[in-house]
Amino acid sequence: MPQGIAPHRIVVIAPSPVSMFNLAIPEMLFCKVEVDGRPGYEVVICAAEPGPVPTTGGLDLHVRHGLDAVREADTVLVAGTGAPFEPESRIVTALREAAAAGKRIASLCTGAFQLAEAGLLQGRRATTYWAHADELRRRYPHVDLRGDVLYVQDGPYLTSSGYAAGIDLCLHIIRGDYGAAVANEVARFALVAPVRPGGQTQFTQTPLPPERGTACADTRGWAMRNLDKPLTLTDLARQAGVSVRTLTRRFHAESGVSPLQWLLHQRVERAKELLETTTLPMDQVARACGLGTADSLRGHLVRRTGLTPSAYRAQFSRLGTAPAADTSSAA
């Protein structure tokens, strides 16, 4: 981050009764971001009424800031609440004003009800905690509700489903602001899964579901260490010591996708990191992540992100110097 540039300000709104877990997520992740040795974000928590705010766990949290803090926000994030069907009118008004000012606005879990009440999600894709999805759909029929994803971005508005999906949404925001390498570093620091893409049109397909077992963990680890090699199903099954059919069944049960779908996702993520953190020519990036050729790299990256490799590097490079000239056909 250049000297003198202020960190990006995230203002988290705490509706009453607020989820303590939701409030912990932004602090845990955004406050771990450093760019050139300087904080990448400043996190401020506010409420409709400063002072004690009840939580879903029966405790009270003292919140110093009122909704005036939203005016100074770069991004507004609404935490989940135990009373999702009773949107707070002052919060709704603050969200409408933030939207009119062009701010990025996100919600965790049931915070989506506040965005919907403010009219921000009308005609847009959104999600919320699965247990309340039907109620959101009934109350706000003009919302294009996606109940089967971790999170969704539609323009400047982002929504996540419940609990740990809020972590995925915050990592997605970090990746969009500072690149995959920074987001993955934060994920490793917080001991959570690396960024899993979710609903943003130009940067996603279907997100990888959470892993639900460890039988194939060693095989996944081995594959990650050998992404530069042309791995096949037979190679993966041999390493796991099982048949291809058994591997495929176990892998899908644990990861929610086939071994080759998972492998392709990891190759593209590795390519992103190399584009952000090195000046390697495109053909070398392609070989290093196992995508073979610069043309293959270009095709997969455009499908996943909407950007060519050169455009992705130009937007997300973490290097202080200009990247080496790209003479490949995959620019």
Side-chain angles (χ1 to χ4, degrees):
M1 179 178 295
Q3 189 73 21
I5 300 297
H8 186 105
R9 176 171 289 188
I10 306 275
V11 172
V12 183
I13 298 177
S16 176
V18 68
S19 163
M20 294 175 65
F21 182 64
N22 276 191
L23 286 183
I25 291 171
E27 188 280 332
M28 177 179 70
L29 299 177
F30 292 122
C31 291
K32 299 299 185 292
V33 174
E34 288 193 0
V35 183
D36 299 330
R38 298 167 61 84
Y41 296 97
E42 175 189 7
V43 177
V44 176
I45 297 175
C46 71
E49 192 68 43
V53 175
T55 71
T56 54
L59 302 176
D60 285 350
L61 293 178
H62 184 81
V63 178
R64 295 198 304 267
H65 301 282
L67 293 174
D68 287 349
V70 172
R71 298 193 186 102
E72 305 301 321
D74 298 303
T75 295
V76 180
L77 194 157
V78 184
T81 172
F85 311 144
E86 303 169 15
E88 223 291 345
S89 61
R90 288 172 290 180
I91 293 176
V92 170
T93 297
L95 290 175
R96 288 172 177 157
E97 292 174 353
K103 300 181 187 297
R104 179 171 61 186
I105 301 176
S107 66
L108 304 181
C109 194
T110 56
F113 282 81
Q114 308 277 348
L115 272 65
E117 182 68 18
L120 307 187
L121 302 181
Q122 185 163 342
R124 293 185 180 273
R125 290 170 289 118
T127 192
T128 191
Y129 183 42
W130 65 267
H132 298 309
D134 287 343
E135 185 63 21
L136 190 144
R137 185 179 288 111
R138 186 186 70 79
R139 289 170 178 258
Y140 308 102
H142 297 299
V143 175
D144 182 7
L145 190 66
R146 307 296 177 93
D148 58 350
V149 297
L150 296 174
Y151 58 90
V152 173
Q153 177 165 359
D154 192 328
Y157 306 121
L158 303 92
T159 53
S160 81
S161 54
Y163 295 98
I167 296 174
D168 292 295
L169 181 140
C170 291
L171 289 173
H172 169 74
I173 290 174
I174 295 170
R175 182 175 68 175
D177 290 342
Y178 295 110
V182 172
N184 287 345
E185 181 180 357
V186 171
R188 285 191 293 268
F189 190 90
L191 298 179
V192 297
V195 166
R196 294 179 288 166
Q200 184 180 6
T201 302
Q202 67 266 39
F203 284 100
T204 65
Q205 289 183 337
T206 302
L208 290 184
E211 292 176 1
R212 296 184 292 271
T214 60
C216 295
D218 288 344
T219 301
R220 290 193 292 269
W222 174 82
M224 291 294 292
R225 295 189 296 273
N226 291 276
L227 286 180
D228 59 324
K229 299 179 175 62
L231 302 177
T232 65
L233 269 176
T234 300
D235 294 329
L236 294 171
R238 183 182 300 114
Q239 197 283 332
V242 297
S243 68
V244 168
R245 174 179 289 185
T246 297
L247 174 79
T248 301
R249 175 174 52 79
R250 289 181 181 175
F251 213 100
H252 197 281
E254 292 182 17
S255 300
V257 293
S258 73
L260 294 183
Q261 287 175 320
W262 178 89
L263 189 61
L264 178 59
H265 178 84
Q266 305 305 329
R267 293 192 193 283
V268 173
E269 288 300 302
R270 177 69 55 83
K272 290 178 184 176
E273 290 203 31
L274 291 173
L275 290 170
E276 294 170 23
T277 59
T278 76
T279 59
L280 289 173
M282 299 306 170
D283 56 348
Q284 292 185 30
V285 171
R287 289 197 297 270
C289 63
L291 291 175
T293 67
D295 285 335
S296 176
L297 167 65
R298 184 183 193 281
H300 286 297
L301 200 67
V302 167
R303 279 192 292 274
R304 293 295 181 97
T305 72
L307 298 174
T308 65
S310 290
Y312 187 91
R313 172 173 274 168
Q315 183 168 344
F316 293 116
S317 176
R318 297 284 297 116
L319 302 178
T321 57
D326 177 7
T327 58
S328 77
S329 62

